């Protein structure tokens, strides 16, 4: 019998993060540190909003949202992230705080890195929560700008 602890390529989970799950931000250590096997600077198409509660939200859109593509070898990471983002797959979209979906991710030079999970908010939710557009597509709780974050 083959040991089930063997990592199968299909178990790799990729998540695009743009807020508190980025390296250096509040939730990275708790949810990602020690579980991430690869971190790449990346962007996706969307619109990024800061929220008064101190974390961001992303909607679909035609601007660039900058963050990181995180790769995990344990698919159960999605269970933890779903709890953090208040996402339940059996609820209707408006009932979730964030909704998880697949999105195409690009490296800084605009070459596709393939597809990954991302947590999105609806435009209506962003408006209800008084979200404000982040025109440069970068969010940081510690004041780090996109220009200086590449070393992370």
């Amino acid at each position: 019998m083959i040991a089930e602890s063997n990592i199968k390529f299909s178990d790799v989970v990729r998540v695009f993060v743009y807020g508190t799950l980025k390296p250096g931000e509040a939730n990275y250590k708790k949810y990602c540190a020690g579980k991430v096997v690869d971190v790449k600077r990346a962007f996706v198409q969307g619109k990024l909003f800061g929220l008064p509660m101190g974390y961001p939200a992303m909607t679909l859109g035609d601007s660039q949202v900058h963050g990181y593509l995180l790769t995990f070898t344990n698919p159960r990471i999605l269970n933890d992230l779903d709890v953090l983002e208040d996402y339940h797959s059996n609820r209707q979209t408006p009932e979730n705080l964030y909704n998880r979906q697949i999105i195409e991710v690009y490296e800084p030079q605009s070459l596709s890195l393939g597809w990954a999970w991302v947590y999105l908010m609806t435009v209506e939710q962003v408006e209800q929560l008084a979200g404000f557009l982040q025109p440069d597509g970068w969010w940081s709780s510690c004041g780090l700008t996109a220009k200086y974050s590449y070393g992370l």
Side-chain angles (χ1 to χ4, degrees), residues 28-103:
Y28 181 83
K29 200 175 211 173
K30 180 177 179 183
Y31 290 91
C32 305
K35 299 172 187 164
V36 171
V37 293
D38 190 42
V39 178
K40 283 189 174 77
R41 282 282 293 146
F43 73 87
V44 296
Q45 295 297 117
K47 278 194 174 159
L48 188 64
F49 298 86
L51 299 175
M53 299 80 86
Y55 54 87
M58 182 184 143
T59 64
L60 293 175
D62 52 9
S63 303
Q64 288 186 3
V65 174
H66 298 272
Y68 293 88
L69 178 61
L70 305 181
T71 303
F72 301 89
T73 53
N74 188 339
R76 286 193 296 268
I77 187 66
L78 290 175
N79 300 340
D80 297 340
L81 298 181
D82 287 351
V83 170
L84 172 68
E85 307 293 8
D86 192 21
Y87 167 71
H88 299 272
S89 58
N90 56 351
R91 288 197 304 213
Q92 295 296 310
T93 299
E95 296 172 347
N96 286 318
L97 181 60
Y98 291 88
N99 288 281
R100 177 161 48 87
Q101 72 178 59
I102 294 276
I103 195 167

